[in-house]
Amino acid sequence: MLDSVTKRRIDTARDILVGKVPDPKSQVEQITIALIYKFMDDMDAQAEEMGGKRKFFTGEFAQYGWAKLIAPSVSGEERIGIYADGMLKMPQNPGVPQLFRNIFKNAYLPYRDPETLKSFLKTINEFEYDHSERLGDAFEYLLSVLGSQGDAGQFRTPRHIIDFIVSIVDPKKNETVLDPACGTAGFMISAYKHILRANSTPAAIEKTGGNGEAEGTLHTSKIPAAKGDRLTPDERKKLADNFRGYDISPDMVRLSLVNMYLHGFADPHVFEYDTLTSQDRWNEMADVILANPPFMSPKGGIKPHNRFSIPSKRSEVLFVDYMAEHLTPSGRAGIIVPEGIIFQSQTAYKALRKMLVEQYLVAVVSLPAGVFNPYSGVKTSILILDKSLAKQSDTVGFFKVENDGFNLGAQRRPIDRNDLPQVLAEINEYLRRLRAKESVLPPLPLGEGRGEGSFTPTRGLIVEKERIAANGDYNLSGERYREGAATLSAFPFVKVGNVFEKADESVIPETLHGPVTYIGLENITQNTGKLDGAVVTENPADIKSLKNVFRPRDILYGKLRPNLNKVWLADRPGICSTDIFVIRPVDDRALAPLFAHIFRSNRFNDSVMSDLKGAQLPRVGWSSFAALEIPLPPLELQKEIVAEIEAYQKVIDGARAVLDHYRPHIPINPEWPMVRLEDACEIQRGKFTHRPRNEPRFYGGVYPFIQTGDVVRASETGGKVTYTQTLNEEGLSVSRLFQPPIVLITIAANIGDTAVLDFPCAFPDSVVGLIPKDGTDVHFLELTMRTKKERLNELAPQAAQKNINNEILKEVEIPLPPLAEQEKIVAEIKVEQRLVEGNRQLIERMEQKIAATLARIWGEDAEEPPPEPAGGDG
């Protein structure tokens, strides 16, 4: 387990880098390189102490040794030169194993500040390598800071979810283990530790405290580390050889190689490989497959080879098909999948589910939306496959996790409710009964067959395959098969259709006169019940085709793709798309303001999702919707609940207004010199006059290609730049690569949007890079240019496509106080931004209160926000 001292050192290293290297991924890479750099020097020193010779830093490479790097006599500029050259030359060092050469490939130093490097290396020098497990856990913690979704729909799987899946699948010491989308190798590391624990004597398991968890650990797994002392040397070697990982990203391959090496794999087998389009490894099977494959498919879909059983262009379908087909006859798998796999009615999805139910699937675990926050709020499930067991079983187990030990907000703070242990115990009992050919179905009424010894899970239900196959959809939503579900609600349940009706009034827009409000599905924001750009038109005839009419206090419910959960309580009259139900109470038993929230709740959305219709665009029909059951509190209580929710909502709206309206402001001192922009920075226009379209060979490299839209998104959110394309060396010459630190500014379309980059990149000629000169702080420069957005738009020549050029930019004047004053202003604005962040937390807290109120109506447990700390200002 991670010790607090090591964790603190990693945090310190990140704190040192954050000013020069804001991007978390770049921080991870810099710390990774430094740790390995020192590790090699430490191994050289250890070899000398034992009478051997150095092999890493020897000959012409001795000049890059760690001792020289941190020597007090070395100047700051000299230290930068040694370290930067050492990183660059390491892949050519014949004494370095291929594994380490791969790690150093394309490594570089992204800043040139001597004091930053000195402090950073001093912290790295404090790391000790006498305990490889501790170093491995430290690296796991380091990887946890990777906070953004990857280019291919990747995001980090929480460690406790990985451990949960591995515990169910239960890999053995003699089995081959594969992760075909391995990322940072989290599943393989967890599987390796699981096997070590299973092959350790009790005395060899390291006790880390009463609950098995050390200070600073990041997840709720209460499993202590183990040595695997029951393994023979041959078994241990074979065990390491049994693990394989694939990933399409060279960066992920590099990180997974380091991760596995630090966890005891001397020669890890991780390959840069496109699982879906390459056939090179198609014939390699595995006993155990564990994965959280990327969910994103590129525009136009995947173009796979023709050996898949299920024809599809969707990445999630192809990955699940791949993993099922690559299990050995006794193989097992645990796979995280998006909701589309569970219920989508397109041909490929149904064919995949049919194949799984008939040949592979033994259990489905529903996870709550938000498990992958802050990377993604996507709703997911876990498929448990067992090739031999599924063929002898006529049932599938459905289990539901509502709490995983953390709240479901962006911060994912620990809570004291955790269903994972109970669900794990029930799944294991279900699988044990299947293997022992014992009864797994709940008891039938007396005299009808099943009685004592039947299995009734508290967190799920067991369903016959015949029932799943009944209508040909093979829907894998457990709620679809639940009958007469018990509820702890204090209120009676009624069918929606008993208290609400669908308004059938419609109109042809061209028959209307004067301005009209038109609401389309695109105007209702997902999960929030807010509007985004309702169209008010003076000429209704501009809106084509038949539309539904709504009145104030009607509920507008998006019936097309209801998983998007678009529900709005109308505050004005208007017309809306026919893809929206207009719902209103049939009498005074139900208050629309309350039931707009109830219809938007996760519980109700789960019920809707279990009965979707449609092919490519699933939709819910009114008859199905009207048959769903909802709690109906007394009218007076409904009024109290509405007042309570509206009070929370007012706080949310106020805090959101702060977020929407805050803009950093630089108070200009008239004594500051005003300088032309070209005197404060170099102005470099992007080198791509056009992108090499339809040229796949240019893409998939390590150099980010920052497009105008990437800068716009960063400007709107105040966050870091995330990019969707990278270029390889064929598509990018050195002259087109810009080095950090650099401010990007858009000069076409959204003129004047800005972002600070801390990594080498390329960008098109619609973006300009501002490279600060001596005496100019990069963050002050970015803040200043942000205030010039309106002025830049005024300077842009009036044309069909407004844009500005370098000559215009050169003449823009900006204030340039002394560097110390610039840094002070930047620091003050960072303080303001932290206060603004407090409003985001307040929003999260109020949203939790609303969710808890609705959960009480349903009769469910829900997380209440923690109490406010007691005490005053002190």
Side-chain angles (χ1 to χ4, degrees):
M1 292 297 181
L2 178 67
D3 65 283
S4 58
V5 174
T6 304
K7 176 179 179 292
R8 188 159 53 247
R9 285 176 182 149
I10 292 175
D11 289 338
T12 299
R14 288 190 60 221
D15 288 343
I16 292 169
L17 289 177
V18 73
K20 302 293 181 182
V21 189
D23 178 56
K25 183 178 178 182
S26 298
Q27 294 167 14
V28 169
E29 291 175 345
Q30 288 303 307
I31 296 173
T32 298
I33 292 297
L35 287 172
I36 297 299
Y37 201 116
K38 181 178 186 294
F39 189 31
M40 292 190 299
D41 196 274
D42 285 354
M43 287 191 289
D44 272 351
Q46 186 180 43
E48 283 187 326
E49 289 175 5
M50 299 178 67
K53 295 182 178 180
R54 287 179 168 262
K55 65 177 182 178
F56 297 115
F57 295 98
T58 185
E60 64 176 295
F61 298 95
Q63 60 182 311
Y64 305 118
W66 187 265
K68 184 173 182 180
L69 192 61
I70 63 170
S73 59
V74 174
S75 71
E77 292 298 332
E78 188 179 4
R79 182 176 291 108
I80 286 177
I82 294 171
Y83 190 52
D85 288 348
M87 293 167 64
L88 184 66
K89 298 287 181 59
M90 210 56 64
Q92 286 81 49
N93 187 340
V96 173
Q98 187 62 48
L99 168 65
F100 287 178
R101 286 191 225 170
N102 291 339
I103 291 168
F104 277 91
K105 186 180 179 182
N106 298 319
Y108 68 97
L109 186 64
Y111 58 90
R112 294 282 167 171
D113 179 46
E115 288 303 314
T116 297
L117 181 61
K118 181 179 179 181
S119 299
F120 174 66
L121 295 180
K122 181 177 181 294
T123 299
I124 296 297
N125 195 51
E126 295 171 356
F127 281 89
E128 298 176 356
Y129 298 90
D130 58 340
H131 193 322
S132 62
E133 176 68 19
R134 178 179 301 165
L135 187 61
D137 286 329
F139 191 70
E140 285 285 304
Y141 171 54
L142 179 60
L143 293 178
S144 75
V145 308
L146 289 177
S148 60
Q149 184 170 329
D151 298 342
Q154 308 150 327
F155 44 80
R156 180 178 174 271
T157 313
R159 171 60 50 199
H160 63 294
I161 300 297
I162 289 177
D163 290 342
F164 171 75
I165 296 172
V166 169
S167 295
I168 296 172
V169 178
D170 189 25
K172 302 293 194 296
K173 66 181 180 182
N174 58 342
E175 293 181 319
T176 53
V177 178
L178 169 67
D179 184 343
C182 67
T184 59
F187 272 108
M188 291 191 287
I189 299 301
S190 178
Y192 181 66
K193 291 182 177 181
H194 177 89
I195 295 170
L196 291 183
R197 283 191 300 273
N199 292 276
S200 296
T201 57
I205 296 178
E206 295 180 343
K207 302 298 183 183
T208 54
N211 64 2
E213 190 157 312
E215 179 185 356
T217 189
L218 294 181
H219 52 82
T220 56
S221 175
K222 304 288 195 278
I223 308 172
K227 298 292 187 183
D229 58 312
R230 286 181 171 151
L231 295 172
T232 67
D234 285 345
E235 287 176 331
R236 189 176 289 273
K237 181 181 184 305
K238 189 172 189 295
L239 174 62
D241 290 340
N242 279 343
F243 283 77
R244 299 193 314 277
Y246 311 148
D247 202 281
I248 196 172
S249 165
D251 290 340
M252 290 297 104
V253 170
R254 178 164 62 177
L255 291 175
S256 61
L257 286 171
V258 176
N259 198 11
M260 295 188 73
Y261 182 85
L262 295 177
H263 280 90
F265 289 80
D267 182 23
H269 306 313
V270 182
F271 307 97
E272 185 180 336
Y273 179 70
D274 187 342
T275 304
L276 304 185
T277 63
S278 176
Q279 300 187 53
D280 295 349
R281 298 181 178 277
W282 180 263
N283 294 325
E284 298 178 7
M285 303 289 146
D287 301 308
V288 170
I289 299 179
L290 302 159
N292 176 15
F295 300 160
M296 184 185 296
S297 297
K299 187 174 181 179
I302 303 290
K303 296 179 181 178
H305 52 74
N306 59 6
R307 300 182 69 176
F308 288 89
S309 293
I310 309 297
S312 178
K313 293 183 178 181
R314 300 295 304 175
S315 62
E316 64 267 31
V317 173
L318 294 169
F319 265 113
V320 175
D321 181 10
Y322 180 94
M323 288 181 265
E325 291 195 63
H326 284 77
L327 290 174
T328 60
S330 60
R332 307 176 306 288
I335 312 166
I336 296 175
V337 297
E339 285 295 89
I341 293 291
I342 302 300
F343 61 77
Q344 281 278 25
S345 56
Q346 289 171 265
T347 301
Y349 289 92
K350 287 200 290 188
L352 176 67
R353 291 195 296 269
K354 181 176 188 293
M355 181 186 77
L356 292 175
V357 169
E358 292 178 350
Q359 302 179 50
Y360 300 97
L361 187 66
V362 291
V364 179
V365 182
S366 172
L367 296 175
V371 163
F372 290 95
N373 279 336
Y375 320 117
S376 171
V378 65
K379 175 74 173 69
T380 57
S381 293
I382 303 166
L383 303 182
I384 304 298
L385 312 185
D386 189 316
K387 193 170 180 179
S388 63
L389 196 58
K391 290 179 179 178
Q392 70 184 46
S393 170
D394 58 2
T395 61
V396 173
F398 292 91
F399 301 86
K400 187 172 184 178
V401 174
E402 294 180 340
N403 293 288
D404 69 333
F406 297 87
N407 73 16
L408 299 174
Q411 304 301 319
R412 294 287 277 147
R413 296 187 179 93
I415 60 174
D416 59 3
R417 289 187 293 280
N418 187 357
D419 301 334
L420 294 177
Q422 180 67 23
V423 172
L424 176 61
E426 293 185 1
I427 292 177
N428 284 340
E429 173 61 14
Y430 170 64
L431 297 178
R432 185 199 68 76
R433 285 173 175 260
L434 286 183
R435 293 185 181 106
K437 299 185 178 179
E438 298 177 8
S439 176
V440 294
L441 291 169
L444 291 173
L446 189 62
E448 293 189 19
R450 295 192 300 267
E452 186 177 351
S454 298
F455 179 54
T456 307
T458 63
R459 293 286 176 180
L461 70 159
I462 311 303
V463 181
E464 298 95 329
K465 289 182 180 179
E466 182 180 2
R467 189 175 169 203
I468 297 172
N471 66 356
D473 283 345
Y474 289 85
N475 190 296
L476 297 182
S477 173
E479 295 301 316
R480 183 188 183 99
Y481 307 105
R482 190 182 297 277
E483 296 177 355
T487 176
L488 298 178
S489 175
F491 313 116
F493 273 59
V494 299
K495 291 183 178 180
V496 169
N498 288 346
V499 288
F500 287 93
E501 64 183 357
K502 177 171 68 73
D504 290 325
E505 184 182 358
S506 57
V507 67
I508 299 174
E510 63 190 29
T511 64
L512 301 174
H513 303 285
V516 63
T517 295
Y518 168 68
I519 306 295
L521 271 177
E522 68 278 6
N523 302 126
I524 305 175
T525 58
Q526 186 175 348
N527 296 319
T528 69
K530 300 294 183 182
L531 286 189
D532 180 16
V535 176
V536 180
T537 177
E538 295 291 335
N539 184 14
D542 292 339
I543 307 171
K544 306 299 181 184
S545 75
L546 192 70
K547 302 300 175 189
N548 291 332
V549 176
F550 63 84
R551 305 192 302 241
R553 297 177 76 83
D554 281 346
I555 299 172
L556 274 60
Y557 189 98
K559 62 182 178 180
L560 180 67
R561 294 190 67 195
N563 57 307
L564 296 179
N565 209 14
K566 295 193 169 190
V567 186
W568 179 59
L569 178 68
D571 60 4
R572 71 200 78 169
I575 59 176
C576 66
S577 163
T578 53
D579 287 327
I580 297 173
F581 287 139
V582 176
I583 304 170
R584 61 178 63 128
V586 297
D587 51 36
D588 61 0
R589 288 178 296 161
L591 292 179
L594 173 60
F595 284 88
H597 286 285
I598 288 177
F599 290 153
R600 202 182 305 117
S601 67
N602 290 334
R603 168 72 179 267
F604 188 79
N605 192 245
D606 284 347
S607 299
V608 173
M609 298 298 289
S610 68
D611 195 24
L612 288 183
K613 304 294 183 186
Q616 293 187 359
L617 294 174
R619 68 184 68 226
V620 62
W622 175 251
S623 59
S624 298
F625 189 90
L628 298 175
E629 293 194 339
I630 50 176
L632 185 66
L635 186 61
E636 288 304 313
L637 184 55
Q638 289 185 46
K639 293 177 182 177
E640 293 178 13
I641 295 170
V642 168
E644 179 185 356
I645 290 176
E646 287 180 347
Y648 297 145
Q649 190 62 50
K650 286 179 181 177
V651 177
I652 291 173
D653 293 342
R656 201 175 299 281
V658 173
L659 298 182
D660 292 342
H661 293 97
Y662 170 76
R663 298 291 183 273
H665 173 68
I666 300 176
I668 305 298
N669 186 326
E671 296 182 1
W672 291 346
M674 298 293 292
V675 302
R676 295 190 312 165
L677 187 59
E678 69 171 348
D679 295 327
C681 61
E682 293 180 31
I683 302 174
Q684 294 286 339
R685 191 160 186 169
K687 300 298 184 182
F688 279 105
T689 55
H690 66 278
R691 288 180 304 195
R693 296 180 184 273
N694 303 318
E695 287 283 358
R697 63 194 177 92
F698 288 131
Y699 294 98
V702 298
Y703 301 115
F705 182 51
I706 308 301
Q707 303 177 77
T708 306
D710 300 325
V711 181
V712 172
R713 284 189 293 273
S715 180
E716 289 173 346
T717 62
K720 65 180 183 304
V721 170
T722 57
Y723 47 89
T724 56
Q725 291 188 6
T726 56
L727 297 175
N728 59 30
E729 292 176 0
E730 285 184 89
L732 188 66
S733 68
V734 174
S735 64
R736 289 170 170 165
L737 189 66
F738 296 89
Q739 298 294 334
I742 187 171
V743 175
L744 294 192
I745 183 167
T746 56
I747 60 169
N750 293 278
I751 295 174
D753 287 311
T754 60
V756 176
L757 295 192
D758 69 323
F759 46 81
C761 65
F763 42 87
D765 60 1
S766 57
V767 176
V768 164
L770 309 180
I771 303 170
K773 294 181 178 179
D774 290 344
T776 304
D777 180 87
V778 67
H779 295 284
F780 181 83
L781 178 62
E782 190 269 338
L783 287 170
T784 302
M785 294 308 298
R786 207 185 304 179
T787 67
K788 297 291 183 181
K789 182 178 174 72
E790 185 175 337
R791 177 59 179 156
L792 292 177
N793 278 272
E794 292 174 355
L795 292 173
Q798 296 300 317
Q801 174 67 58
K802 291 180 67 174
N803 63 79
I804 54 177
N805 55 37
N806 283 20
E807 295 305 314
I808 294 175
L809 279 175
K810 287 179 182 179
E811 300 302 319
V812 172
E813 289 195 336
I814 65 170
L816 195 66
L819 185 59
E821 185 71 18
Q822 295 177 44
E823 293 171 344
K824 179 182 176 183
I825 291 169
V826 169
E828 289 174 350
I829 289 176
K830 286 183 178 179
V831 171
E832 292 175 4
Q833 291 171 336
R834 284 197 293 270
L835 295 174
V836 172
E837 179 61 29
N839 282 274
R840 287 192 177 90
Q841 296 172 8
L842 183 61
I843 291 171
E844 180 182 333
R845 183 182 182 86
M846 294 298 105
E847 287 176 341
Q848 287 177 7
K849 284 180 173 289
I850 291 175
T853 300
L854 295 174
R856 287 195 299 271
I857 299 174
W858 285 106
E860 297 175 336
D861 291 331
E863 178 197 348
E864 293 279 1
E868 295 288 353
D873 295 337

